[in-house]
Amino acid sequence: MTTTALGTDERWRIIDHERADLARLLESLSPEEWERPTRCGDWRVRDVAAHLTVAARSTYRWALREFVRARGDVDRMIHDSAVREAERPVAEIVANLRAITGSRHLAPGTTPREALLDILVHGQDIALALGAERRMPPRAARDAAERVWTMRFPPRPWPLPKARLVATDVDWTRGRGEEIRGPISALLLLLTGRTAAAEEHLDRARPTGP
């Protein structure tokens, strides 16, 4: 199995492209579409979009303040900061997403791999809520899937499937057990807890052999 990760420069080029492309989609939305619920917990489209602008503008001081405000709960910190940011006018949310295109700033404690994972998966959250199709670059999706599979810090928030995952469009296989085959984009959604959206594109088969 080939597990070659993307180079840092290529990873950033993809992040920039995904941010700019998502900004174009967002600026075309109606007021009703901005309020649509996503499959990302109780987040609306505007909450997800706002979240994507926060990390690239955050500082250690901001993170510490938000961490204290959330009483040490990282998930609550991420959720509440996104919801507060989503109170901005939608034009400002789009402008902030455009403004971080080309930025190399990262949230404290993260790397470009988390930034890539974030824009790919949350871009899908928004597209799914809108009934739109948003293609993931397969090599980028493989890089993100490998990051999820090997994630130790920050702790992985999703349990790994007890199965053998086999991508059908790139060279990537992980795990043991029941075989689940499909495009790497669908496997990435499965790995990040978007099971219902992933299942539409996956095939399952029991392992063969002794």
Side-chain angles (χ1 to χ4, degrees):
M1 178 192 69
T2 302
T3 57
T4 304
L6 298 177
T8 300
D9 288 345
E10 184 177 6
R11 198 173 283 128
W12 276 119
R13 283 196 297 271
I14 295 170
I15 292 168
D16 288 342
H17 176 271
E18 293 295 310
R19 285 172 173 171
D21 189 63
L22 185 60
R24 284 191 291 271
L25 172 62
L26 291 171
E27 69 182 358
S28 73
L29 300 187
S30 67
E32 180 275 330
E33 287 173 320
W34 276 97
E35 302 303 323
R36 283 195 189 171
T38 71
R39 304 187 194 194
C40 185
D42 64 349
W43 289 15
R44 304 159 296 172
V45 165
R46 69 186 301 138
D47 299 317
V48 177
H51 165 72
L52 287 170
T53 72
V54 172
R57 296 184 292 123
S58 64
T59 63
Y60 279 93
R61 178 177 295 180
W62 173 89
L64 178 60
R65 184 180 70 246
E66 291 296 317
F67 185 71
V68 172
R69 192 172 186 175
R71 299 180 181 178
D73 186 326
V74 175
D75 289 337
R76 180 179 175 183
M77 169 185 162
I78 294 171
H79 174 276
D80 291 357
S81 63
V83 171
R84 283 193 295 272
E85 189 70 16
E87 294 174 0
R88 297 177 182 272
V90 294
E92 189 172 342
I93 294 173
V94 174
N96 285 339
L97 185 57
R98 287 193 186 282
I100 63 172
T101 300
S103 169
R104 300 296 179 258
H105 184 80
L106 292 164
T110 67
T111 73
R113 299 194 76 178
E114 284 75 55
L116 178 62
L117 172 62
D118 219 27
I119 189 66
L120 289 180
V121 173
H122 285 313
Q124 290 299 310
D125 288 329
I126 290 171
L128 288 166
L130 299 171
E133 184 176 349
R134 185 173 173 78
R135 182 180 176 275
M136 282 194 213
R139 292 181 65 246
R142 179 178 64 181
D143 189 85
E146 184 69 10
R147 177 65 186 115
V148 176
W149 191 274
T150 59
M151 189 176 283
R152 297 294 180 272
F153 183 84
R156 184 192 310 107
W158 317 280
L160 291 177
K162 295 180 179 179
R164 183 171 182 261
L165 307 184
V166 181
T168 54
D169 53 349
V170 292
D171 184 10
W172 190 83
T173 302
R174 279 288 194 174
R176 299 175 62 184
E178 174 193 23
E179 188 170 282
I180 302 177
R181 301 176 63 88
I184 189 64
S185 56
L187 295 176
L188 177 58
L189 291 178
L190 180 68
L191 286 168
T192 53
R194 280 74 174 173
T195 306
E199 290 287 357
E200 300 173 13
H201 307 282
L202 299 174
D203 295 317
R204 294 174 178 266
R206 296 202 176 275
T208 59

